[in-house]
Amino acid sequence: MKEEGSVKRPARGRRPAEEAPGGWTGKVDKQSWVPAYAQLARLLRRRIADETYAPGSRLPSEATLAKGFGVSPMTARQAVGVLSEEGIVHRVQGSGTFVRRIEVLKTHFALDTLHAVLADQENLDVKLERAVVERVPSGARALLGAGDGEPLVVVERLIRHRGEPFAFQTACTRFDPESPILEKMLNTAVLTEFFFEAHLPGFKKGVLELVPAVLDGREAGFLGEQAGCPAFRLEQLLYDFGDRPAAFGWFLVSPGKVRLVSRVGVWDD
Amino acid sequence: MKEEGSVKRPARGRRPAEEAPGGWTGKVDKQSWVPAYAQLARLLRRRIADETYAPGSRLPSEATLAKGFGVSPMTARQAVGVLSEEGIVHRVQGSGTFVRRIEVLKTHFALDTLHAVLADQENLDVKLERAVVERVPSGARALLGAGDGEPLVVVERLIRHRGEPFAFQTACTRFDPESPILEKMLNTAVLTEFFFEAHLPGFKKGVLELVPAVLDGREAGFLGEQAGCPAFRLEQLLYDFGDRPAAFGWFLVSPGKVRLVSRVGVWDD
DNA sequence: AAGTGGTCTAGACCACCTA
DNA sequence: AGGTGGTCTAGACCACTTT
């Protein structure tokens, strides 16, 4: 599609972070700092929200959108791709792109609030409650692939946020004096990096599972809750770069301190 | 980049669903049915997995990858985009693309297992336990923006899977005889479509929240569990196309029947 | 046969970051 | 200043679905 004259567009690439002025309903404005694909995506999102494109109906084809809005096919495709990744729209090859109905069951939940608290490091403090070499815990033993007689290290920590108890952590690993993981688990300095920098150096992969739990008396005491109170337990099984299970542990967090919220459908904000 | 001679590549667009033969370590093979971007993505994923590209290190630039593997820049970009969406890699404008360390806290949890059970409709049955017009529940009343005297309809259902109790559902809406939502809530035929077809016709958007809960005696009785047993509660607040809150409810599911699992880091399978 | 999405090319300019 | 990612173009061929 030819541009009119040889008007120089003001900016490509990453524009300065500036949101659109709002109240805008027209077409794609190439003078704007908002990327063309984002403009088109928003326009489509609004039309879906006001049921111009009703749930279940087909969107105009990408080629049609490209011509209609004076952008290249790849750009139009990118715009539709945004909605597709948002789950608002569903692409079917050879058939078209369709407005999704709300899918309650295909949503996902993020640990945003947990992340937010742990990122606020100035107001966090960690207290080591217990660090022992135990021969007892059998569940962890199986997960770590440890032999029956092999000792395991168990570490318990209480994490406080602004003075309030926030989470109670238990972590297990093999008692291997040569392992850097053991050192990391016991070293409070590295500990910060270990869990609060939101990444885990030295591990290749892991499996997390979120399960509902009921606090026992001891756990409730640490967290300042009543025994029998419901809580999230975030279990972690982490593997080293040899694909061997290397550490197992869990966080206990009182509900209300962490929320798992997910939005579905069309939110045009 | 010029192709050698005028060899016709066998297929573009969507290839037949055929996984690569495996055991392949070389470069991008344009004769293959696996898209070039997917081949390049997998190759990069393997190099990350075997620490050729170590956590924290920088990937070759997209331009370098494009030249090195004989693909166009957009294709190389698409490959890196795959890893970026997988969370394995992190793009920083003007700086480069970096191998992420494992981020425990930025994962998300999907309702796969819940979805799997509800998709298995042949083995599901639903029993209406209670449907009443109540003037009592005040929490739901506030959420729905209902007045103090306004009656609310409360529906309770027990969902069984293969004869076993699976979930206990409670749903509330305004008692508005004109509302199609009320009809949907009471109609068992539409009910199937309503929750088990995994979409919600008639609603524009919704907020879901997952909270840990402890079953009381009545709930435990329905689910065949012990009172005091932990369970997930999946709360739903749904809005109609006028952005008015229209229905509020929750599922109670015993743990073990539904699992929330998430994988982080590099899984090369 | 026609239309749709999926993939791909070979360039381009821009904003951002680092040296 | 040079390299990097972010955006964009104007086409192309393919596989798939529908007509």
Side-chain angles (χ1 to χ4, degrees):
Chain A
M1 182 128 287
K2 285 194 77 168
E3 280 186 48
E4 344 209 338
S6 51
V7 182
K8 284 184 73 174
R9 274 183 268 88
R12 299 255 202 108
R14 186 91 186 100
R15 275 77 165 187
E18 181 206 317
E19 283 307 304
W24 159 103
T25 57
K27 297 187 174 185
V28 168
D29 172 18
K30 298 198 179 179
Q31 310 302 315
S32 165
W33 275 326
V34 180
Y37 79 91
Q39 293 182 50
L40 182 49
R42 182 184 319 174
L43 186 131
L44 295 175
R45 203 181 293 113
R46 293 197 182 182
R47 290 196 178 172
I48 291 170
D50 68 15
E51 293 192 278
T52 303
Y53 304 139
S57 69
R58 223 196 61 197
L59 246 52
S61 79
E62 296 176 359
T64 305
L65 291 172
K67 279 168 191 156
F69 294 101
V71 297
S72 125
M74 276 292 264
T75 303
R77 177 166 181 74
Q78 194 178 359
V80 176
V82 169
L83 301 193
S84 178
E85 281 172 29
E86 289 175 357
I88 293 175
V89 124
H90 180 224
R91 290 205 260 221
V92 180
Q93 177 174 153
S95 175
T97 301
F98 300 87
V99 180
R100 259 201 218 276
R101 299 174 169 98
I102 290 184
E103 300 210 353
V104 165
L105 301 172
K106 283 196 173 170
T107 61
H108 59 264
F109 295 89
L111 295 174
D112 293 339
T113 50
L114 178 60
H115 187 254
V117 170
L118 295 189
D120 182 24
Q121 292 193 35
E122 292 138 23
N123 293 304
L124 278 180
D125 72 271
V126 181
K127 189 178 162 196
L128 187 67
E129 296 289 349
R130 211 158 67 112
V132 294
V133 178
E134 277 192 299
R135 293 166 194 279
V136 188
S138 62
R141 190 175 302 279
L143 282 170
L144 293 175
D148 259 9
E150 191 176 344
L152 294 179
V153 182
V154 180
V155 178
E156 291 180 341
R157 301 194 198 87
L158 180 62
I159 299 155
R160 279 190 295 237
H161 184 234
R162 300 178 185 277
E164 294 285 309
F166 174 72
F168 185 68
Q169 184 194 6
T170 306
C172 311
T173 189
R174 285 211 190 83
F175 181 59
D176 174 2
E178 311 236 335
S179 161
I181 289 165
L182 178 57
E183 188 181 343
K184 278 175 190 156
M185 277 184 56
L186 294 171
N187 186 332
T188 311
V190 184
L191 216 173
T192 307
E193 193 188 7
F194 197 73
F195 275 106
F196 304 149
E197 294 266 308
H199 62 79
L200 299 178
F203 292 110
K204 177 182 170 187
K205 61 185 181 183
V207 185
L208 308 185
E209 179 161 3
L210 197 68
V211 299
V214 177
L215 299 181
D216 65 25
R218 180 164 176 266
E219 295 161 345
F222 280 120
L223 289 172
E225 301 279 351
Q226 303 257 333
C229 164
F232 278 124
R233 188 166 68 222
L234 177 62
E235 300 183 350
Q236 311 152 9
L237 178 58
L238 300 168
Y239 295 78
D240 62 22
F241 275 91
D243 286 322
R244 292 176 297 267
F248 174 71
W250 62 87
F251 279 104
L252 277 171
V253 189
S254 335
K257 300 241 172 80
V258 162
R259 300 182 64 189
L260 261 79
V261 179
S262 175
R263 304 205 297 185
V264 296
V266 185
W267 290 80
D268 40 358
D269 51 7
Chain B
M1 181 126 293
K2 284 195 81 171
E3 280 186 48
E4 344 211 337
S6 51
V7 182
K8 285 185 74 175
R9 273 184 268 88
R12 300 256 200 105
R14 188 91 186 97
R15 274 79 166 186
E18 179 206 320
E19 284 305 306
W24 158 104
T25 58
K27 298 188 174 184
V28 168
D29 171 18
K30 298 196 177 178
Q31 309 302 316
S32 164
W33 272 305
V34 180
Y37 79 91
Q39 293 183 49
L40 182 49
R42 182 185 318 174
L43 186 131
L44 295 174
R45 204 180 293 111
R46 293 198 180 181
R47 291 196 176 173
I48 292 170
D50 68 15
E51 293 192 280
T52 304
Y53 303 139
S57 69
R58 222 197 63 199
L59 245 53
S61 79
E62 295 176 0
T64 305
L65 291 172
K67 279 168 191 156
F69 294 100
V71 296
S72 123
M74 277 292 265
T75 303
R77 177 166 181 74
Q78 195 178 358
V80 176
V82 170
L83 301 193
S84 177
E85 281 171 30
E86 289 176 356
I88 293 176
V89 123
H90 180 224
R91 291 205 260 224
V92 181
Q93 177 173 159
S95 178
T97 301
F98 300 88
V99 180
R100 260 202 217 275
R101 300 174 168 98
I102 290 184
E103 301 211 354
V104 166
L105 301 171
K106 282 194 173 171
T107 60
H108 58 265
F109 295 89
L111 296 175
D112 294 337
T113 49
L114 179 60
H115 186 254
V117 171
L118 296 190
D120 181 23
Q121 292 192 37
E122 291 139 21
N123 294 303
L124 279 178
D125 73 88
V126 181
K127 189 178 163 199
L128 188 66
E129 296 289 348
R130 211 159 67 112
V132 294
V133 178
E134 278 192 302
R135 291 165 195 279
V136 188
S138 61
R141 189 175 300 280
L143 283 171
L144 292 174
D148 260 6
E150 190 175 347
L152 294 181
V153 181
V154 180
V155 177
E156 290 180 342
R157 301 193 196 88
L158 180 63
I159 299 155
R160 279 190 295 238
H161 183 236
R162 300 179 184 277
E164 294 285 308
F166 174 72
F168 185 68
Q169 183 195 9
T170 306
C172 310
T173 188
R174 287 210 190 84
F175 181 58
D176 175 1
E178 312 235 334
S179 161
I181 289 166
L182 178 57
E183 188 181 342
K184 278 177 193 155
M185 277 184 54
L186 294 174
N187 186 332
T188 310
V190 185
L191 216 175
T192 307
E193 191 188 10
F194 197 71
F195 276 106
F196 304 147
E197 294 267 306
H199 62 78
L200 298 177
F203 292 110
K204 177 181 171 189
K205 61 186 181 183
V207 186
L208 309 186
E209 180 161 2
L210 196 69
V211 299
V214 177
L215 299 180
D216 66 25
R218 180 164 176 267
E219 295 160 345
F222 281 119
L223 289 173
E225 301 280 350
Q226 302 257 331
C229 164
F232 279 124
R233 189 167 68 222
L234 177 62
E235 299 184 349
Q236 312 152 8
L237 179 59
L238 300 167
Y239 295 78
D240 61 23
F241 275 92
D243 286 322
R244 292 175 300 266
F248 174 70
W250 61 86
F251 279 104
L252 277 171
V253 188
S254 335
K257 300 243 172 80
V258 162
R259 299 183 64 191
L260 262 80
V261 179
S262 175
R263 304 204 298 185
V264 296
V266 184
W267 290 79
D268 40 359
D269 52 7

